[in-house]
């Protein structure tokens, strides 16, 4: 979906025209968002994903300990 061209400024100071929600700065290759609030939303999403991964890893560790390590230790 194309957006109306809008001038955005990257954190490095490079100013260019953005036509998508997420654009890449040509100078430092960082993501520059069309809407400033999108940056925070993406950050929250990343934290959420990391949280889910941590929960899954913790759960798998627990299952491993219960099913595999416990019988070995008690044998
Ligand atoms: Zn930049």
């Amino acid at each position: 979906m194309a957006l109306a061209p809008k001038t955005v400024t990257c954190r490095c100071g490079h100013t260019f025209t953005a036509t998508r929600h997420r654009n890449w700065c040509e100078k430092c290759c960082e993501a520059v968002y069309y809407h400033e609030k999108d940056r925070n939303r993406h950050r929250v999403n990343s934290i959420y994903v990391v949280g889910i991964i941590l929960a899954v890893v913790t759960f798998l560790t627990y299952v491993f300990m219960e099913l595999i390590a416990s019988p070995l230790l008690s044998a």
Side-chain angles (χ1 to χ4, degrees):
M1 189 180 76
L3 297 161
K6 176 188 172 185
T7 302
V8 294
T9 305
C10 173
R11 276 191 294 178
C12 71
H14 178 56
T15 302
F16 61 99
T17 305
T19 51
R20 286 172 296 166
H21 282 288
R22 188 148 82 141
N23 308 271
W24 299 103
C25 173
E26 300 142 30
K27 300 283 179 188
C28 64
C29 296
E30 274 213 48
V32 183
Y33 294 100
Y34 188 88
H35 300 288
E36 187 62 27
K37 62 179 165 64
D38 280 357
R39 190 190 304 190
N40 293 327
R41 201 176 68 201
H42 280 269
R43 189 176 300 154
V44 168
N45 278 355
S46 322
I47 293 168
Y48 187 68
V49 167
V50 167
I52 287 175
I53 290 168
L54 279 178
V56 168
V57 167
T58 306
F59 176 74
L60 288 177
T61 306
Y62 171 78
V63 169
F64 173 79
M65 293 297 279
E66 282 294 310
L67 297 181
I68 297 160
S70 294
L72 287 177
L73 288 173
S74 58

